[in-house]
Amino acid sequence: MIVVPLKEGENIEKALKKFKRKFEKTGIVKELRNRQAFEKPSVSKRKQLMHAIYVQQLRREEE
């Protein structure tokens, strides 16, 4: 749980900025996106292989 200590008379907008900064540092959103977009290892290897083939073809065409 994220706790943002406030000083007396501190602006609510400043507190929100502090909260957002702390929230981003925890990496919760990044972790959530990775979990939602899970890719099987075989699929990711296949994508890497296809990309490598594509890059090789581009390099051959340049020469």
Side-chain angles (χ1 to χ4, degrees), residues 1 3 12-15 21 26 37 47 49-50 54-55:
M1 188 162 136
V3 178
I12 189 73
E13 289 158 6
K14 254 190 174 180
R21 245 184 269 127
T26 59
K47 277 187 180 180
L49 179 67
M50 296 302 289
Y54 172 75
V55 169

Side-chain angles (χ1 to χ4, degrees), residues 36-56:
Q36 284 178 344
F38 177 76
E39 223 174 44
K40 291 187 347 186
S42 60
V43 173
S44 62
K45 286 179 188 175
R46 179 76 176 158
K47 277 187 180 180
Q48 286 177 346
L49 179 67
M50 296 302 289
H51 180 69
I53 291 170
Y54 172 75
V55 169
Q56 266 187 341

Side-chain angles (χ1 to χ4, degrees), residues 50-63:
M50 296 302 289
H51 180 69
I53 291 170
Y54 172 75
V55 169
Q56 266 187 341
Q57 287 174 348
L58 285 178
R59 288 185 181 156
R60 280 188 196 147
E61 289 175 5
E62 282 181 0
E63 292 175 358

